[in-house]
Amino acid sequence: MKSDSVKKGMQQAPHRSLFNALGMTEEEMERPLIGIVSSYNEIVPGHMNLDKIVDAVKMGVAMAGGTPVMVPAIAVCDGIAMGHIGMKYSLVTRDLVADSTECLARAHAFDALVMVPNCDKNVPGLLMAAARINIPTVFVSGGPMLAGRVQGHKTSLSSMFEAVGAYTAGKMTEEDVKEYEQKACPTCGSCSGMYTANSMNCLTEVLGMGLKGNGTIPAVYSERLKLAKHAGMAVMDLLKKNICPRDIMSEKAFRNALTMDMALGCSTNSMLHLPAIAHEAGVDLNLELANEISAKTPNLCHLAPAGPTYIEDLNEAGGIYAVMNEISKLGLLELNCITATGKTVGENIKGCLNKDPEVIRPVENPYSSTGGIAILKGNLAPDSAVVKRSAVAPEMLKHEGPARVFDCEEDAIEAIKGGKIVAGDVVVIRYEGPKGGPGMREMLNPTSAIAGMGLGSSVALITDGRFSGASRGASIGHTCPEAAVGGPIALVEEGDIISIDIDNHRLDVKVSDEEMAARKEKWQPRKPLVTSGYLARYAAMAAPASRGAILEI
């Protein structure tokens, strides 16, 4: 066992003295040492219940013959960080989580790990760490929040942000907003739609790193505690069989993840995180593959914000395995991949039936014949841009309009709320990429303001930043190259006509090559907004969004 290096032999007597200081018995030291990596804290609603999940995991590990030891990981609440400098610190924590977990696991010679995350960046951060450390590992998240209820209708955090836009447009009273405020987020858990946290928890299940129900069992259900106990037991089985994350997260597993991403209609942030996780697993995941897979993968789910159903509904309909079983009818999944259950994907999903064809459409009756995410290219995005096609109004799949150009999110919000954006406009927000932000902020505030003011089916938004999974509409992000390095988005001028053709994967500005070249000659880089601290280091090392915004050594 790896932990023998800190527990066995005379040279390790000092180490054992420190274990004694922890109150650890000789019997515990004889067993495998299992790290339980918990992002429990009291500021993120998705994490406030993780102490209970960790206790259940520890019980499962102990029952199966291991010695569980809890260690921490950080997490940022994107909702609380939204719309101010805090959002610059969201994406960048993914790498902090991966790095710190690597340090903890290696320094203390853990034999195996159970990861207990729940929110947007610490789920992929811990997946990156798992691939990097490569010792037997199982994931069990804190689970999704239940949907809110307002005036007899289910609702969620995205409705809350849109309510603010509706209030600005005079469509809601302050009392109406207050009601949403009190009821939109009724329980602990990751926010209740197919936003980034739930997208990544569901894809963790698809990748094979989490057990059945990891992505969908609500946080407040006792079933989640049973799942956590089983996760603790499962990691001990993986340790005995020496099944490690790189055995599970193979190239075929990532193809499965992209396929299910399209079927589920996951957050566009998955197009940042999957390549980053694959990179740590030694797999080259080119985003070109996304359109190839999307072309043959039907979109079966329209979960909030794309539709009126929520993760709790997906759970009742049979969960991720039921969607996978449905998609497998088309021969689109690699069924022989090994998973954290110790079984293959095919064995896991066998007999998992779709219990609600309104929540999970049958493959014969999909929402669309192509997947939920599209990768766009063109003279405005020579490398790539990303859009959640399943959340775009049909009339906006093809759109042309004048550019309304802003060099930061705050200026765009001021214009939107000031009534300066009208139907047909294309809002361009630049210098918000990984290097330019720095930190690639989410643009949930402007997209919510546009939707809340009734412009969601007539105004597009393009950015080199990114979008929350709660964003909907023609919201095109990850535009590469970004403005900070002189990408074409930096050269767009007020009034330029921008052409969007999502079905044909195009994003163009109707300006001649000669004119764009002339503008590039005059372009000057902006001075960095941040020159010290972690953000400055991140900006110096960040790769393009098309490569997952990973840190380059």
Side-chain angles (χ1 to χ4, degrees), residues 45 141 165 205 258 378 401 436 543:
S141 76
E205 207 173 319
L258 279 176

Side-chain angles (χ1 to χ4, degrees), residues 6 42 58 94 126 152 180 224 232 312 373 381 422 433 445 464:
V6 294
E42 295 181 341
K58 291 168 75 173
R94 185 185 68 182
L126 288 176
Y180 271 88
R224 171 86 27 198
E312 63 189 61
I373 288 178
V422 299
N445 273 351
D464 53 5

Side-chain angles (χ1 to χ4, degrees), residues 418-498:
K420 296 179 181 178
I421 303 302
V422 299
D425 284 348
V426 178
V427 176
V428 177
I429 305 177
R430 60 195 182 190
Y431 294 100
E432 292 284 6
K435 289 183 178 294
M440 203 178 183
R441 286 193 287 182
E442 288 184 341
M443 301 291 144
L444 180 56
N445 273 351
T447 58
S448 298
I450 287 169
M453 296 176 75
L455 297 171
S457 59
S458 60
V459 169
L461 196 156
I462 298 170
T463 181
D464 53 5
R466 60 195 178 90
F467 293 105
S468 164
S471 291
R472 60 187 176 98
S475 302
I476 301 169
H478 310 193
T479 304
C480 289
E482 64 174 289
V485 299
I489 193 171
L491 311 177
V492 176
E493 295 181 358
E494 187 81 8
D496 286 348
I497 300 301
I498 292 179

